[in-house]
Amino acid sequence: MELSAIGVIGAGQMGNGIAHVFALAGYDVLVNDIQQAALDKAVAQISGNLDRQVSKERISAEEKAAAMGRIKTTLHLPDLGQTDLVIEAATERESVKSAIFEDLVPHLKPETILTSNTSSISITRLASRTDRPEKFMGFHFMNPVPVMQLVELIRGIATDDETYQTCLKVVENLGKTAASSEDFPGFIVNRILMPMINEAVYTLYEGVGGVASIDSAMKLGTNHPMGPLELADFIGLDTCLAIMNVLHDGLADTKYRPCPLLTKYVEAGWLGRKSKRGFYDYRGEVPTPTR
């Protein structure tokens, strides 16, 4: 199945990155959000990120202009009904995602493929609440989308091979690499990454080391580009906590129990970079550890 029109639900950090790479790869993209301000911000951010690519001579000014010309926005979810592939990139809450699919499904073409950019929620369960579980799968991009080369493709129990092969071809067209995962909590990346971040928070919680020491140890001792607490702030501590809860609930193993300190930071509204405070305070010129 050849796809040309892509619908993206959610104009946040992931949604605008997904729209960016699809438009640059030649697809027509329609981005939906519930707030016009979010759509306007997304378009401005995509333009700025494309300008950065032009300045680094990775793309030409003409390619940037063509990509921007392929991006349209809408506040009306049913407008996405005529697209060939829909990628949902809304808040990482199952109730929100299920409600979106319930509202969208009556307006879809029979052949439209539905996907979710969820980082941990069951694809099988999300698919079961639509009219096309065989045409539903996980399409999980990494953040920041224009930079990161990996896309996790997750088949639900009912996903058919045509849908999988079509999405695999799309990933190739984007110039990215697919990793196929079975539909278990956290898939591959977050099944491994989030417990590491959670253990780093436990290391801080138990007083083994401070924020700066933990991050320096992992960057210099294991050659990670970012320390685990810095990375948690970048991802969003609320997202980290949500994924740990999915792992803990779905696998029923105490090793996935979220650290109480992670929960405390989220309850305080200290969610990382997006709220200007997390394991680091971002309100000054240089980020400073909060513990």
Side-chain angles (χ1 to χ4, degrees):
M1 179 180 173
E2 285 297 320
L3 311 179
S4 60
I6 310 298
V8 178
I9 302 171
Q13 193 170 27
M14 295 303 293
N16 78 61
I18 292 167
H20 173 143
V21 297
F22 271 96
L24 199 55
Y27 293 94
D28 292 323
V29 183
L30 182 60
V31 185
N32 164 260
D33 201 279
I34 57 174
Q35 296 180 324
Q36 186 62 47
L39 292 171
D40 294 341
K41 182 180 178 182
V43 171
Q45 191 163 347
I46 293 168
S47 180
N49 289 338
L50 287 167
D51 281 337
R52 194 172 295 112
Q53 288 179 291
V54 172
S55 69
K56 293 179 179 179
E57 298 184 348
R58 291 176 182 163
I59 63 172
S60 67
E62 291 75 20
E63 286 173 314
K64 182 227 165 167
M68 291 302 297
R70 297 185 190 107
I71 298 172
K72 302 288 186 294
T73 64
T74 181
L75 292 168
H76 192 49
L77 185 64
D79 289 347
L80 273 61
Q82 294 307 303
T83 58
D84 303 315
L85 168 69
V86 174
I87 302 172
E88 171 274 315
T91 304
E92 189 69 359
R93 287 207 301 272
E94 188 169 344
S95 59
V96 173
K97 295 178 185 295
S98 293
I100 288 170
F101 290 129
E102 185 178 334
D103 290 344
L104 179 61
V105 159
H107 306 282
L108 293 175
K109 299 185 296 183
E111 65 272 21
T112 297
I113 293 173
L114 269 181
T115 68
S116 176
N117 183 58
T118 179
S119 52
S120 62
I121 297 168
S122 169
I123 297 303
T124 297
R125 202 161 58 237
L126 288 173
S128 71
R129 293 163 188 163
T130 74
D131 66 343
R132 61 195 69 207
E134 72 286 350
K135 290 186 174 297
F136 192 110
M137 68 182 301
F139 211 127
H140 181 216
F141 288 84
M142 305 296 124
N143 185 34
V145 180
V147 175
M148 302 296 278
Q149 290 301 301
L150 181 72
V151 179
E152 280 185 312
L153 291 180
I154 305 100
R155 298 172 76 149
I157 197 168
T159 308
D160 63 28
D161 194 57
E162 182 185 9
T163 298
Y164 170 75
Q165 293 297 336
T166 299
C167 289
L168 187 61
K169 179 65 176 174
V170 169
V171 174
E172 292 173 2
N173 291 344
L174 296 177
K176 297 188 181 294
T177 300
S180 298
S181 170
E182 293 300 314
D183 184 24
F184 289 100
F187 316 133
I188 295 172
V189 172
N190 283 317
R191 174 74 175 265
I192 298 167
L193 174 65
M194 286 302 158
M196 184 196 76
I197 287 175
N198 195 51
E199 195 62 31
V201 183
Y202 266 115
T203 305
L204 178 65
Y205 176 62
E206 293 168 4
V208 179
V211 170
S213 293
I214 292 167
D215 278 350
S216 293
M218 293 304 291
K219 284 192 285 188
L220 302 178
T222 62
N223 207 28
H224 288 196
M226 296 173 75
L229 301 176
E230 181 186 4
L231 180 58
D233 276 358
F234 180 75
I235 293 168
L237 304 192
D238 51 341
T239 300
C240 294
L241 179 59
I243 295 170
M244 284 308 302
N245 281 325
V246 167
L247 290 170
H248 190 230
D249 294 344
L251 298 169
D253 192 324
T254 55
K255 72 180 181 181
Y256 299 113
R257 183 171 67 95
C259 178
L261 184 61
L262 178 60
T263 302
K264 189 184 291 280
Y265 268 67
V266 173
E267 288 175 344
W270 291 21
L271 308 180
R273 286 182 177 271
K274 61 187 173 185
S275 65
K276 303 295 185 186
R277 274 193 294 188
F279 293 114
Y280 292 85
D281 189 328
Y282 300 93
R283 293 173 297 175
E285 289 186 15
V286 178
T288 55
T290 54
R291 290 177 85 88

